[in-house]
Amino acid sequence: MPEMSALNKKLTQTLAETISKQVKHFNKRETECLIRLCNGLLGDQTVSIHNSLLLLVYLAVFHTFDKDSDGYISVKEWIEGLSVFLRGTLDEKIKYCFAVYDLNSDGYISREEMLQMLNDSMIREPTEEDPDEGIKDLVEITFKRMDYDHDGRLSYADFERAVREENLLLEAFGSCLPDAESTLVFEEQAFKDPPGQ
């Protein structure tokens, strides 16, 4: 990445100062590093990432980063998303995972959404006679376990209660958070000081 001009460096520092006061889990230096990373992904010094670019990187989680649903991820949305993604509390991760799993953003996880997510995440053996039946059975078992109000869909309250009782259910419908090793590798790379500093 080309060396930053003095003006761009000052703008980045000012933006990092502002964002680091608004976003949990990252200090000013880390926020500056994430801004530089964001700009590096773009290949220029603009401050938003277009939907199609980030879809290549994040696929299913784009809509959770794009808080204002404008089809772009601003630098602030990028850093807020990474804050939860990498260092979020259990409460933040529950909200994040629920938002990822609520495919149509209606406030509920339906059987159909669950079936779609599990279908997409299952490894299929060529010898299986009807793998869809197994997935349908898994959906029914999961609903019996998590649908506390028995209304045929998972509300946020159902999901939160189930995850608090059994943390492994946080990613019950497919992986949407990085594992600890991936987080560590990302942070080691992202939070390196740029050459010349």
Side-chain angles (χ1 to χ4, degrees):
M1 183 166 53
E3 203 168 303
M4 267 193 204
S5 71
L7 178 61
N8 282 340
K9 188 173 183 177
K10 183 65 178 164
L11 289 172
T12 298
Q13 289 172 340
T14 302
L15 184 60
E17 179 78 33
T18 301
I19 292 175
S20 67
K21 290 177 182 174
Q22 299 170 350
V23 176
K24 297 179 185 178
H25 310 301
F26 295 128
N27 62 35
K28 182 181 178 232
R29 188 189 74 72
E30 292 169 332
T31 302
E32 278 185 55
C33 290
L34 291 172
I35 291 168
R36 283 193 301 273
L37 178 62
C38 178
N39 290 338
L41 288 172
L42 292 169
D44 62 25
Q45 297 299 313
T46 60
V47 292
S48 64
I49 297 176
H50 190 269
N51 191 351
S52 61
L53 171 66
L54 207 59
L55 278 174
L56 296 174
V57 179
Y58 290 106
L59 299 174
V61 297
F62 178 85
H63 73 280
T64 62
F65 276 51
D66 183 20
K67 295 290 185 194
D68 59 6
S69 301
D70 65 353
Y72 291 85
I73 294 181
S74 68
V75 171
K76 183 176 182 223
E77 288 171 328
W78 159 263
I79 293 170
E80 286 174 335
L82 287 176
S83 173
V84 172
F85 203 63
L86 299 172
R87 297 183 179 172
T89 64
L90 180 60
D91 286 340
E92 291 168 331
K93 287 180 178 182
I94 290 171
K95 288 176 188 163
Y96 173 81
C97 289
F98 185 83
V100 170
Y101 299 146
D102 180 13
L103 299 176
N104 63 1
S105 302
D106 68 351
Y108 296 93
I109 302 171
S110 68
R111 280 183 166 80
E112 293 76 24
E113 288 169 318
M114 202 181 292
L115 189 61
Q116 180 181 340
M117 289 180 285
L118 289 173
N119 255 325
D120 292 345
S121 66
M122 297 298 277
I123 298 171
R124 297 177 185 270
E125 294 293 324
T127 58
E128 289 185 57
E129 291 178 20
D130 189 3
D132 290 339
E133 272 312 304
I135 293 171
K136 287 176 187 173
D137 291 344
L138 187 56
V139 167
E140 289 309 312
I141 291 167
T142 305
F143 255 97
K144 286 179 184 168
R145 165 84 191 216
M146 296 177 80
D147 185 16
Y148 291 100
D149 58 9
H150 307 290
D151 65 351
R153 58 190 183 171
L154 295 183
S155 65
Y156 178 77
D158 290 332
F159 185 75
E160 179 184 30
R161 180 176 170 190
V163 170
R164 290 196 184 285
E165 288 179 9
E166 177 54 67
N167 287 356
L168 291 174
L169 292 173
L170 182 63
E171 293 186 272
F173 311 122
S175 179
C176 61
L177 293 168
D179 60 61
E181 184 178 340
S182 298
T183 298
L184 182 63
V185 169
F186 176 85
E187 288 191 9
E188 284 175 354
Q189 293 298 310
F191 299 141
K192 280 197 272 189
D193 285 322
Q197 282 197 357

